[in-house]
Amino acid sequence: MQLTFDADVEEFRRKFVEFLDEHMPAPGDVTERSKSSAHVPDWARRWQRLMFEHGWLLPGNPPEFGGRNATVLQQYVHLEELSKRRIYHSFNPQGLGIIAASILSFGTDEQKQRWAVPILRAEITAALGMSEPGAGSDLAGLRTRAVRAGAEYVVDGQKVWTSGAHDADVLLTFVRTDPTAPKHRGISVLLIPTDTPGVTRRPFPSVCSPDDLDFNEVYFEGARVPVANRIGPENGGWQVANGSLGHERTLLWLSFADRLEDLLGDFRPRTELDRDAYARLVMDSYALRMLGSGALAAAARGEQDTAALSILKVLGSEASQAASERALDAVGIEGLTHPAVTAPPPPLNIEHFSASWFERYLRSFAGTIAGGTSEIQRNIIAQRVLGLPRS
């Protein structure tokens, strides 16, 4: 077992730290905050573009797409250094980590230049149109239809929970193009500009943040989309979907580990019961780091273990939720209003650290849903780790 990184990885880290030390925006230059997950303030656009041009945006990408062909371990230390400073490299996370990544994986060269590069350079922002009122976790149940009409598709249907859609320039939208095929096989993926006639976006608040609008209902009524905007083959959307969520899950456990450690650092137990719960959460934190390190080592060897990522997703999201709940219980009624953290948020961090403990607890539920629900992850673990039958 090796608990340290090789010299090439540490040299990669050193160069990135030098870049951050030299180019980090000054606090006075970053006062405007993001209004949604697809709203990127001007200063944040400049910061993202600078990281792209220096190859530090997504270092695993080739240089023409904002990277430097970094190894898995080098990508890990890149995220580790961002985490230490609580820095987000983009205020449009789904655009960067899912949508641009999907276009690079499944799109044509023309699509990469037309759509992926502007998203990566923060010239445009993107939102993900997957969930529908009757198809949340079950993507294969989607009903939004796209009917081929010559060189266009005519799209009709509805999406919901579409984060940032009202501020986004384009939607990566999953649609049904063959209603007669088995439901997994009749899906296609379209890039739909949000100014397309027939597209209506209606933002709505959540119980976690009633004053912040991020979620959207999106309606498509006869929206005409060029066939050239299709990502991947017609009826090949299921493969794109799996690739999209794969991009989101690869190092997702690291964000949960950071969040859990933040919670443990901000909360101090008051009673014997609190101390017992706190000790369990500390053990969860160490377990998550150790299991994550094992998955990281496997990825560095070129091994792909989807089941291991599912285990990390369940452990990380549910441990974070448990930590938030224990902290709220300990604080008591004061947790409804008092900030969980009194220090101001770091300038490059999208999170609102002035939220009350109650708001922080409510937001923890998103972790068990986004990137694949805990229920779906348990199905994967049951089948691929325990060998249980699908039925």
Side-chain angles (χ1 to χ4, degrees):
M1 178 180 295
Q2 180 180 335
L3 299 180
T4 58
F5 293 105
D6 291 335
D8 66 312
V9 178
E10 291 300 344
E11 176 64 12
F12 185 89
R13 185 201 301 272
R14 184 190 65 78
K15 290 180 179 178
F16 183 46
V17 169
E18 285 183 353
F19 169 82
L20 293 176
D21 289 341
E22 181 178 355
H23 294 288
M24 279 269 293
D29 297 334
V30 297
T31 53
E32 185 183 0
R33 307 300 296 171
S34 175
K35 297 175 183 177
S36 78
S37 58
H39 170 256
V40 183
D42 288 342
W43 67 265
R45 290 179 187 266
R46 293 191 295 271
W47 167 247
Q48 183 173 327
R49 194 170 304 127
L50 183 69
M51 295 191 76
F52 176 94
E53 291 168 350
H54 284 77
W56 291 118
L57 183 65
L58 293 171
N61 286 357
E64 63 268 28
F65 298 122
R68 46 184 64 204
N69 293 314
T71 66
V72 171
L73 295 180
Q74 289 171 336
Q75 293 174 60
Y76 175 83
V77 298
H78 171 264
L79 291 176
E80 197 172 51
E81 290 303 321
L82 290 175
S83 174
K84 285 179 182 178
R85 303 187 188 212
R86 287 183 169 176
I87 299 171
Y88 274 70
H89 44 261
S90 174
F91 278 28
N92 181 214
Q94 71 275 13
L96 197 70
I98 300 177
I99 298 163
S102 297
I103 298 170
L104 293 180
S105 295
F106 299 98
T108 64
D109 290 341
E110 190 276 334
Q111 289 171 336
K112 293 174 186 178
Q113 294 301 321
R114 183 183 176 189
W115 300 106
V117 171
I119 292 171
L120 292 169
R121 289 177 55 84
E123 295 165 353
I124 63 175
T125 61
L128 182 64
M130 275 190 170
S131 296
E132 298 186 2
S137 299
D138 179 22
L139 176 66
L142 67 85
R143 296 182 179 180
T144 296
R145 294 186 62 177
V147 178
R148 184 79 174 260
E152 295 179 316
Y153 288 103
V154 181
V155 182
D156 290 276
Q158 179 188 357
K159 298 292 179 180
V160 73
W161 313 114
T162 313
S163 298
H166 61 299
D167 287 319
D169 298 296
V170 65
L171 306 172
L172 185 74
T173 312
F174 288 76
V175 296
R176 187 162 299 285
T177 43
D178 186 354
T180 66
K183 62 181 185 177
H184 291 80
R185 298 179 184 174
I187 297 172
S188 300
V189 184
L190 301 177
L191 282 165
I192 305 180
T194 54
D195 60 0
T196 300
V199 176
T200 303
R201 297 162 288 166
R202 295 179 182 172
F204 61 90
S206 72
V207 67
C208 304
S209 304
D211 297 326
D212 297 329
L213 296 179
D214 194 35
F215 289 141
N216 279 253
E217 296 175 301
V218 182
Y219 296 89
F220 303 95
E221 298 173 289
R224 305 185 77 88
V225 183
V227 172
N229 286 24
R230 188 186 69 227
I231 303 299
E234 187 169 276
N235 301 322
W238 191 251
Q239 181 183 5
V240 179
N242 287 331
S244 300
L245 294 177
H247 291 304
E248 186 179 20
R249 291 172 184 161
T250 303
L251 286 172
L252 184 61
W253 65 269
L254 181 59
S255 66
F256 287 121
D258 292 337
R259 194 173 307 164
L260 186 55
E261 289 173 8
D262 282 344
L263 278 162
L264 292 171
D266 296 335
F267 165 62
R268 287 293 178 267
R270 298 180 180 182
T271 68
E272 189 67 34
L273 182 61
D274 290 344
R275 284 191 287 273
D276 184 57
Y278 185 85
R280 289 199 300 272
L281 295 172
V282 170
M283 289 187 285
D284 284 344
S285 177
Y286 275 99
L288 183 59
R289 286 284 182 185
M290 293 299 100
L291 288 170
S293 296
L296 181 67
R301 295 191 298 268
E303 301 170 8
Q304 189 172 17
D305 189 347
T306 303
L309 297 180
S310 294
I311 293 170
L312 287 164
K313 172 65 167 59
V314 172
L315 173 60
S317 61
E318 296 188 0
S320 296
Q321 189 177 108
S324 299
E325 182 177 14
R326 293 295 184 185
L328 180 61
D329 285 343
V331 174
I333 192 68
E334 295 179 358
L336 294 176
T337 56
H338 285 199
V341 182
T342 56
L348 299 188
N349 198 301
I350 198 170
E351 299 284 359
H352 300 286
F353 284 94
S354 59
S356 70
W357 279 112
F358 180 64
E359 292 172 307
R360 202 165 179 176
Y361 169 62
L362 289 178
R363 290 175 182 172
S364 71
F365 284 85
T368 63
I369 300 171
T373 66
S374 288
E375 291 79 8
I376 295 297
Q377 302 308 314
R378 281 184 165 83
N379 283 344
I380 294 172
I381 294 166
Q383 294 163 23
R384 301 191 185 183
V385 179
L386 302 178
L388 298 178
R390 292 182 64 88
S391 57

